Amino acid sequence: MLIVKKFGGTSVGDKDRIVNVAKRCIEDYQKGNDVVVVLSAMGKMTDELIAKAKEINPNPSRREMDMLLTTGEQTSVSLMAMAMDALGVPAVSLNAFQVAMHTTSVYSNARIKRIDTDRIFNELEQRKIVIVTGFQGVDRFDNYTTLGRGGSDTTAVALAAALHADACEIYTDVDGVYTADPRKVPEAKKLTEITYDEMLEMATLGAGVLHNRSVELAKKHDVQLVVRSSMTLEEGTVVKENVRKRTSEISGVAGDDDAARIAVLGVEDIPGVAFKIFNVLAKKNINVDMILQSIGRGNRKDISFTVKEGDMEAAVTALEDHLPDGTYEAINSSAEMAKVSIVGVGLRNHYGMAARMFQALYEADINIRMISTSEIRVTVLVNKEDMEKAMILTDTRLQINPKHYANSDVNKLNLHYNRLVKANNRLIDEVYEKELLRTKAEIEALQAQVNPHFIINALESMYWVLVQKGDMETSK
């Protein structure tokens, strides 16, 4: 059995953790498995290297930055090989050039094109553990390149696909994929499994547990992933094509506080203007995320979109320098933005999830700046200061799990629900005409009556209303 194991910077942050990782890899090796290990740079080493570069040159070239940053992973793999050797197990460290890991020539954001596997298989045949640098590659001119933040995940998945590995394990400082970042949302729950599509959306939207390109590769090559902690022996989260039916339609809430909004106002309402705007940004290698175009008025319209906060000034400058005169009236930009998203395959077939999310934000007086959707995702742009509160409120509103309630409580809820439905049948025609004062439970029951999918949601809302009234106790 061939196993690819990837360990992040926290997992190899010091001597004790390096030895811990070495022992975990040796356990699988001693069972007769072939083991390939992919490592990130130790702890905060990448940040320290960036800081050192800035001390020398505030605006270093991307090529030289990649040349510098690749030394972080080379330090990790060589120390890991030494640790395994000290434990009596043969190991060899290889960098991207020695493998070789061929990439495009886009410095700091390269993509893997192909991997030569001969050297790795030769070392495995000699019963060595092979330790490979993550995050890096070489282009056709033999220059070192890096894959962007989190690129070691992509290295591991690409190796697993190229080597036709039997397993690909991603070890982090958390014990799996959660419905939300547990550091921001204490009530977040760990998922036992998640689909590639859901994980890709969450990774793209700010969930830092996996690099989004690694998930793309895993889906493309059908590489099943397991995300688990390097600090414990707990089972992690399996990322695969299909999962068993869940009790909740939503698999997770993601937050990304690295966003800025740019609005190009008074754009000519003619064909080709959107192309001109986004072509300018594409030539500057600036990625655009959410896009919103307003309805035209007086032969003019507005186009708003989001970029990474660090790209905002470059994007505005590029547009001002390259868009023809008269194409637009003004460009406004706003930093300090954040994206909050709900993700789940259940969004394909269940209605009203977006409305419930928006209601939670409305009740907390959180203003929505932009909205973007896909088949399994709803994303809103909010002020950065509101992100964590929005995540907590959204998670609380949408994480429905009937197992949280005792059977006796559910029976009581059904009685209350049936009573309210009968009352609503008599009053439904009068609601809007007489503007009757309704309880929250009655409103939810009305929604449930319109769409049967909301029944369990109505029961949950009624449950908490009744708890607050003291009619029943929360189940332990």
Side-chain angles (χ1 to χ4, degrees):
M1 185 174 178
L2 197 163
I3 304 172
V4 174
K5 294 173 174 286
K6 178 265 173 180
F7 294 88
T10 305
S11 301
V12 292
D14 55 35
K15 172 192 170 184
D16 291 338
R17 293 188 176 187
I18 288 175
V19 173
N20 172 62
V21 168
K23 289 179 178 178
R24 293 196 69 157
C25 296
I26 289 171
E27 284 181 13
D28 281 317
Y29 171 83
Q30 291 177 336
K31 293 176 183 176
N33 299 308
D34 291 324
V35 179
V36 176
V37 183
V38 177
L39 298 182
S40 299
M42 296 174 62
K44 299 292 183 181
M45 188 170 185
T46 298
D47 293 333
E48 292 170 1
L49 291 172
I50 293 173
K52 289 181 183 298
K54 297 290 186 181
E55 289 177 4
I56 301 296
N57 184 344
N59 297 296
S61 72
R62 291 190 173 186
R63 182 200 180 275
E64 297 307 326
M65 284 301 297
D66 281 5
M67 187 71 175
L68 173 66
L69 296 181
T70 54
T71 63
E73 282 71 26
Q74 292 187 52
T75 300
S76 295
V77 297
S78 58
L79 291 175
M80 183 61 67
M82 295 175 193
M84 291 182 179
D85 182 64
L87 293 169
V89 173
V92 60
S93 64
L94 301 175
N95 64 19
F97 189 84
Q98 293 167 316
V99 168
M101 192 92 57
H102 302 277
T103 71
T104 60
S105 297
V106 181
Y107 297 117
S108 80
N109 198 27
R111 290 181 177 266
I112 295 174
K113 296 168 65 177
R114 75 177 190 279
I115 299 173
D116 295 341
T117 58
D118 291 347
R119 176 70 184 274
I120 294 177
F121 278 126
N122 287 338
E123 300 291 353
L124 291 174
E125 286 174 2
Q126 298 175 48
R127 284 299 291 154
K128 295 179 181 178
I129 295 179
V130 180
I131 311 164
V132 180
T133 53
F135 175 66
Q136 60 186 252
V138 289
D139 67 9
R140 62 193 181 98
F141 303 110
D142 290 338
N143 293 309
Y144 278 110
T145 61
T146 62
L147 309 181
R149 285 284 189 175
S152 294
D153 295 341
T154 305
T155 303
V157 175
L159 277 171
L163 298 170
H164 303 287
D166 299 290
C168 184
E169 302 172 348
I170 309 294
Y171 290 84
T172 70
D173 54 354
V174 295
D175 58 355
V177 180
Y178 280 72
T179 55
D181 187 338
R183 292 168 296 187
K184 297 183 175 69
V185 183
E187 298 81 9
K189 307 174 187 68
K190 187 175 78 173
L191 299 168
T192 56
E193 55 186 9
I194 188 172
T195 68
Y196 292 126
D197 290 337
E198 291 172 323
M199 191 66 250
L200 179 57
E201 291 280 11
M202 291 181 68
T204 303
L205 295 166
V209 68
L210 279 176
H211 192 237
N212 58 343
R213 286 187 194 168
S214 71
V215 186
E216 288 177 0
L217 276 177
K219 178 178 173 63
K220 180 179 179 180
H221 297 285
D222 195 24
V223 176
Q224 185 168 296
L225 308 177
V226 178
V227 181
R228 59 198 312 177
S229 171
S230 61
M231 311 300 176
T232 70
L233 298 177
E234 289 187 29
E235 293 297 324
T237 300
V238 179
V239 185
K240 57 184 181 178
E241 185 63 37
N242 297 301
V243 300
R244 292 165 293 182
K245 187 176 180 180
R246 300 194 187 102
T247 56
S248 174
E249 297 86 2
I250 305 301
S251 61
V253 179
D256 180 6
D257 61 2
D258 184 12
R261 181 181 65 173
I262 297 174
V264 186
L265 307 176
V267 175
E268 293 179 291
D269 194 5
I270 58 176
V273 173
F275 162 72
K276 292 178 182 178
I277 291 172
F278 295 110
N279 189 48
V280 167
L281 301 176
K283 288 181 177 179
K284 296 294 182 180
N285 292 320
I286 297 174
N287 286 327
V288 174
D289 188 12
M290 304 171 70
I291 301 175
L292 176 65
Q293 178 174 294
S294 68
I295 297 175
R297 61 189 188 285
N299 296 322
R300 294 280 174 172
K301 60 189 176 185
D302 302 332
I303 297 179
S304 301
F305 54 90
T306 61
V307 297
K308 294 288 187 182
E309 192 168 349
D311 289 334
M312 184 184 74
E313 291 185 9
V316 171
T317 300
L319 293 172
E320 291 174 341
D321 291 345
H322 296 286
L323 287 180
D325 293 339
T327 303
Y328 66 94
E329 295 175 351
I331 297 177
N332 291 342
S333 58
S334 304
E336 299 295 315
M337 294 282 137
K339 292 178 289 184
V340 176
S341 309
I342 55 173
V343 178
V345 293
L347 288 171
R348 292 170 176 161
N349 303 313
H350 291 78
Y351 310 104
M353 295 295 108
R356 294 173 63 205
M357 178 187 189
F358 300 158
Q359 182 183 3
L361 301 182
Y362 159 69
E363 291 173 351
D365 197 31
I366 295 175
N367 192 25
I368 298 174
R369 305 291 184 177
M370 293 177 70
I371 301 171
S372 174
T373 66
S374 74
E375 190 178 23
I376 63 169
R377 168 187 58 80
V378 178
T379 299
V380 298
L381 188 72
V382 299
N383 293 335
K384 183 181 291 189
E385 62 186 15
D386 291 328
M387 186 188 79
E388 290 192 19
K389 180 167 68 171
M391 290 177 66
I392 293 171
L393 292 170
T394 301
D395 183 83
T396 302
R397 179 61 63 94
L398 295 176
Q399 292 305 313
I400 313 301
N401 190 345
K403 291 181 180 179
H404 289 174
Y405 314 129
N407 290 333
S408 60
D409 290 337
V410 174
N411 290 334
K412 291 180 183 179
L413 289 175
N414 277 297
L415 290 174
H416 282 283
Y417 175 72
N418 290 330
R419 188 184 308 157
L420 285 174
V421 168
K422 290 179 181 179
N424 285 330
N425 286 336
R426 296 192 303 269
L427 298 173
I428 193 168
D429 294 330
E430 302 174 348
V431 172
Y432 300 105
E433 295 177 7
K434 297 184 179 181
E435 297 181 355
L436 295 178
L437 180 63
R438 315 302 296 275
T439 67
K440 184 177 180 180
E442 288 173 326
I443 292 171
E444 294 287 345
L446 276 173
Q447 292 178 339
Q449 191 176 0
V450 174
N451 189 330
H453 289 301
F454 283 120
I455 290 178
I456 187 63
N457 303 340
L459 292 178
E460 186 204 41
S461 296
M462 291 162 58
Y463 175 82
W464 290 112
V465 169
L466 293 169
V467 167
Q468 291 167 3
K469 288 182 177 179
D471 290 350
M472 65 171 68
E473 297 180 355
T474 55
S475 56
K476 304 299 182 185

